[in-house]
């Protein structure tokens, strides 16, 4: 870290100390648990304390006994929160002046407002700082954040100076915009790139096509967010910039919950702050070891809006490692939203990686979207140079995963539309049979 960055890092902790040092306390707890694991006993106590608080202060849980087990509470989702919003707000924190309201983008549904109390905010900050540092990003580093900067998330000039950040808008990703983006990264000596996976992927593709030399760049860490990044794109970015690429697992309503492993595509979860259950796709029973299931989150520190057994719409295979009364949780497979899951002709769930990993390097393809229309009907939208695309190769790569009966239609389009949030959807399931598997996603 250069002097300016080191001063920013030290200055942050000095300021926290003058306010009681709570963020540092939580940071140290998360760092210790990351190394040694979280206490099973302490986690169970935190869950029970949160349940007791929810029963005493919210209308939604008021009819449950305070000592009820977590597994006996109902599983909720965003639709539950939207329809009964006021019932989840704690009477103790309802009018607290130091609350914060977080809003989901609403990219796949109606936006959701989520209240967070002061202690939850401190935990979010501590977790973000630790998981950033674990990925190679430290407070004070020059950071470029690539996303669509709508009004409710835009930062003021003072905030940008304070955070040493550059806002990069991904709403335009044509050749000129990508060239300007690369020039800024190089000229401003950006140390960390944070952004939508699809935007970072398009930047990587621009570097490859244009033959740009990254040796003069100062990037030391790249953190993709919001969308699945194909492993080949991740490894290409690592080679281009000569630094690690490790995604955060996060959402607006909870915060940064985990970090991608360095050597594989799995994730490690911050078990000091969040308790995860993996439930079966079609029931609220626990998934078997190694079985793909629904992620259900209990946020241990949001007392203003207690989040107990929240099905956030994502799917994963989890591995829990327990030793000496402490545990660690890994998501060996994380597939994101259930709406990103596709199914083969026999109805078996297929990882979206078979699409993203097989289409990323097809010559002539600039953008794509894979759509499941029906049980055996699929469509691939391709944007790029049709003369260079080898459609037979594309079908030959994908068909084995779907089955011989798969009917795959290829359509050449002028543009793949982005969502309102600026994210670009690679996978879409429109098959009515599988709509019930999607859940309510934000």
């Amino acid at each position: 870290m250069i002097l300016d960055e080191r001063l920013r890092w030290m200055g942050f902790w000095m300021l926290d100390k003058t306010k009681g040092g709570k963020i540092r306390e939580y940071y140290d707890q998360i760092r210790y648990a990351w190394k040694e694991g979280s206490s099973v006993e302490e986690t169970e106590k935190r869950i029970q304390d949160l349940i007791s608080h929810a029963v005493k202060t919210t209308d939604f849980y008021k009819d449950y006994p305070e000592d009820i087990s977590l597994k006996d509470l109902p599983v909720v989702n965003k639709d539950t929160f939207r329809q009964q919003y006021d019932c989840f707000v704690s009477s103790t924190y309802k009018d607290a002046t130091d609350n914060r309201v977080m809003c989901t983008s609403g990219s796949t549904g109606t936006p959701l407002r989520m209240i967070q109390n002061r202690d939850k905010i401190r935990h979010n900050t501590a977790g973000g700082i630790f998981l950033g540092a674990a990925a190679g990003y430290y407070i004070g580093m020059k950071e470029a954040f690539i996303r669509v900067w709508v009004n409710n998330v835009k930062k003021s000039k003072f905030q940008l100076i304070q955070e040493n950040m550059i806002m990069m808008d991904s709403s335009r990703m044509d050749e000129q915009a990508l060239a300007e983006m690369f020039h800024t990264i190089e000229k401003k000596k950006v140390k960390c790139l944070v952004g939508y996976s699809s935007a970072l992927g398009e930047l990587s593709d621009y570097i490859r096509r244009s033959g740009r030399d990254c040796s003069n760049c100062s990037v030391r860490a790249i953190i993709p967010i919001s969308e699945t990044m194909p492993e080949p794109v991740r490894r290409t970015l690592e080679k281009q910039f000569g630094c690690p690429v490790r995604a955060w697992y996060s959402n607006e309503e909870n915060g940064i919950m985990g970090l991608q492993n360095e050597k594989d595509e799995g994730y490690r979860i911050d078990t000091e702050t969040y308790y995860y259950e993996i439930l079966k796709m079609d029931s609220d029973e626990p998934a078997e070891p190694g079985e793909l299931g629904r992620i259900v989150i209990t946020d241990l520190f949001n007392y203003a809006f207690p989040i107990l057994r929240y099905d956030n719409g994502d799917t994963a295979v989890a591995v829990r490692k327990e030793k000496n009364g402490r545990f660690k949780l890994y998501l060996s497979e994380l597939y994101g939203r259930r709406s990103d899951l596709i199914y083969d002709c026999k109805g078996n769930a297929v990882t979206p990686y078979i699409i993203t990993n097989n289409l990323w390097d097809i010559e002539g393809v600039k953008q794509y979207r894979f759509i499941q229309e029906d049980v055996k009907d699929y469509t691939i939208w391709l944007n790029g140079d049709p003369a260079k695309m080898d459609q037979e190769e594309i079908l030959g790569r994908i068909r084995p995963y779907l089955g011989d009966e798969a009917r795959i239609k290829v359509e050449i389009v002028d543009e793949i539309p982005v969502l309102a949030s600026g994210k670009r959807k690679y996978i879409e399931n429109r098959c009515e049979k599988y709509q019930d598997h999607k859940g309510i996603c934000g």
Side-chain angles (χ1 to χ4, degrees):
M1 296 172 71
I2 61 176
L3 180 61
D4 175 56
E5 294 171 353
R6 189 176 296 278
L7 288 173
R8 287 174 182 269
W9 174 265
M10 292 170 60
F12 177 87
W13 293 120
M14 288 174 64
L15 182 60
D16 176 58
K17 192 173 183 179
T18 65
K19 297 178 179 179
K22 296 300 291 185
I23 296 174
R24 184 73 205 203
E25 178 186 332
Y26 297 146
Y27 174 91
D28 289 339
Q29 289 173 359
I30 294 168
R31 183 173 61 176
Y32 181 79
W34 198 260
K35 181 181 177 183
E36 303 294 338
S38 291
S39 164
V40 174
E41 184 180 352
E42 181 62 30
T43 300
E44 290 174 353
K45 182 180 183 302
R46 286 173 178 167
I47 292 171
Q48 218 54 51
D49 286 347
L50 180 64
I51 291 173
S52 175
H53 166 77
V55 169
K56 288 187 289 188
T57 70
T58 72
D59 287 340
F60 187 85
Y61 294 104
K62 67 181 180 181
D63 294 329
Y64 292 96
E66 286 184 42
D67 60 352
I68 190 172
S69 173
L70 181 68
K71 64 181 176 60
D72 293 326
L73 288 174
V75 174
V76 297
N77 57 31
K78 278 189 182 176
D79 202 32
T80 320
F81 290 154
R82 290 187 185 109
Q83 292 174 4
Q84 304 184 59
Y85 183 84
D86 290 338
C87 294
F88 283 93
V89 179
S90 167
S91 58
T92 304
Y93 291 90
K94 186 176 182 179
D95 299 316
T97 56
D98 54 359
N99 283 344
R100 175 174 71 180
V101 177
M102 302 296 290
C103 294
T104 63
S105 64
S107 58
T108 58
T110 309
L112 172 69
R113 296 170 73 252
M114 181 64 68
I115 302 173
Q116 295 178 348
N117 53 289
R118 186 62 186 163
D119 208 42
K120 166 61 181 175
I121 298 167
R122 292 191 185 110
H123 269 94
N124 266 14
T125 302
I129 294 170
F130 174 78
L131 293 171
Y137 167 69
Y138 296 86
I139 297 171
M141 276 186 172
K142 175 68 76 174
E143 172 196 352
F145 202 140
I146 307 172
R147 62 165 297 163
V148 174
W149 289 97
V150 291
N151 287 332
N152 67 317
V153 295
K154 272 186 179 177
K155 294 180 180 289
S156 66
K157 288 184 179 179
F158 175 74
Q159 286 176 306
L160 293 174
I161 294 170
Q162 187 181 41
E163 298 177 25
N164 208 11
M165 180 190 288
I166 299 170
M167 291 188 299
M168 288 187 171
D169 198 335
S170 64
S171 57
R172 227 183 92 236
M173 295 295 282
D174 54 36
E175 205 76 1
Q176 182 182 345
L178 288 164
E180 291 171 359
M181 195 176 284
F182 182 85
H183 176 71
T184 300
I185 291 168
E186 184 179 46
K187 184 180 178 183
K188 298 289 187 180
K189 299 190 181 303
V190 169
K191 290 281 188 72
C192 179
L193 291 175
V194 179
Y196 296 151
S197 295
S198 55
L200 289 167
E202 292 195 37
L203 176 63
S204 173
D205 192 48
Y206 164 77
I207 293 169
R208 180 185 60 79
R209 293 194 318 269
S210 63
R212 298 301 296 261
D213 181 9
C214 297
S215 61
N216 291 324
C217 294
S218 304
V219 178
R220 297 290 177 268
I222 299 175
I223 303 174
I225 59 171
S226 295
E227 311 149 290
T228 298
M229 173 173 280
E231 185 181 10
V233 176
R234 179 187 176 193
R235 301 308 175 189
T236 299
L237 271 168
E238 287 181 335
K239 289 177 182 176
Q240 288 170 332
F241 286 99
C243 71
V245 178
R246 302 178 69 183
W248 277 330
Y249 181 47
S250 63
N251 59 33
E252 291 288 349
E253 54 269 31
N254 297 112
I256 301 171
M257 298 179 287
L259 176 67
Q260 193 171 34
N261 301 329
E262 194 168 2
K263 302 296 185 183
D264 59 52
E265 300 305 290
Y267 287 75
R268 169 86 180 274
I269 297 302
D270 168 16
T271 48
E272 279 296 282
T273 314
Y274 306 96
Y275 181 77
Y276 273 37
E277 297 171 85
I278 306 297
L279 304 184
K280 288 183 177 292
M281 298 291 283
D282 54 2
S283 77
D284 291 342
E285 296 300 311
E288 301 297 327
E291 181 184 5
L292 180 68
R294 300 142 51 215
I295 294 177
V296 173
I297 302 164
T298 293
D299 188 326
L300 300 174
F301 291 97
N302 193 347
Y303 274 56
F305 194 105
I307 297 176
L308 292 151
R309 308 198 85 196
Y310 166 49
D311 180 342
N312 75 334
D314 288 350
T315 57
V317 175
V319 177
R320 178 176 163 131
K321 297 182 179 180
E322 191 169 328
K323 183 179 179 182
N324 299 328
R326 307 189 76 85
F327 74 100
K328 299 176 181 179
L329 186 71
Y330 300 85
L331 304 182
S332 57
E333 299 174 39
L334 174 62
Y335 296 149
R337 302 179 192 280
R338 287 192 288 284
S339 57
D340 291 341
L341 280 179
I342 54 173
Y343 297 80
D344 66 16
C345 292
K346 294 182 179 179
N348 300 310
V350 177
T351 166
Y353 291 140
I354 67 112
I355 306 300
T356 56
N357 287 2
N358 278 297
L359 288 183
W360 80 279
D361 65 341
I362 296 288
E363 187 177 1
V365 175
K366 184 181 177 186
Q367 300 161 343
Y368 62 85
R369 182 176 295 174
F370 185 88
I371 304 165
Q372 180 160 17
E373 308 279 7
D374 208 336
V375 176
K376 299 180 181 179
D377 292 297
Y378 309 86
T379 301
I380 306 174
W381 288 352
L382 298 174
N383 166 243
D385 185 349
K388 293 181 179 179
M389 296 177 196
D390 188 335
Q391 294 189 22
E392 288 304 314
E393 181 183 0
I394 292 171
L395 296 176
R397 288 187 181 191
I398 294 172
R399 190 181 298 278
Y401 296 97
L402 302 175
D404 294 334
E405 299 177 353
R407 296 182 288 267
I408 309 173
K409 181 170 62 175
V410 177
E411 295 182 1
I412 307 300
V413 299
D414 293 331
E415 181 67 25
I416 306 292
V418 297
L419 303 175
S421 63
K423 304 169 190 175
R424 192 179 300 281
K425 198 175 184 71
Y426 293 119
I427 310 292
E428 184 179 358
N429 196 325
R430 298 178 179 175
C431 177
E432 286 189 16
K433 179 179 178 180
Y434 302 124
Q435 295 306 299
D436 289 342
H437 292 292
K438 291 185 179 185
I440 305 298
C441 313

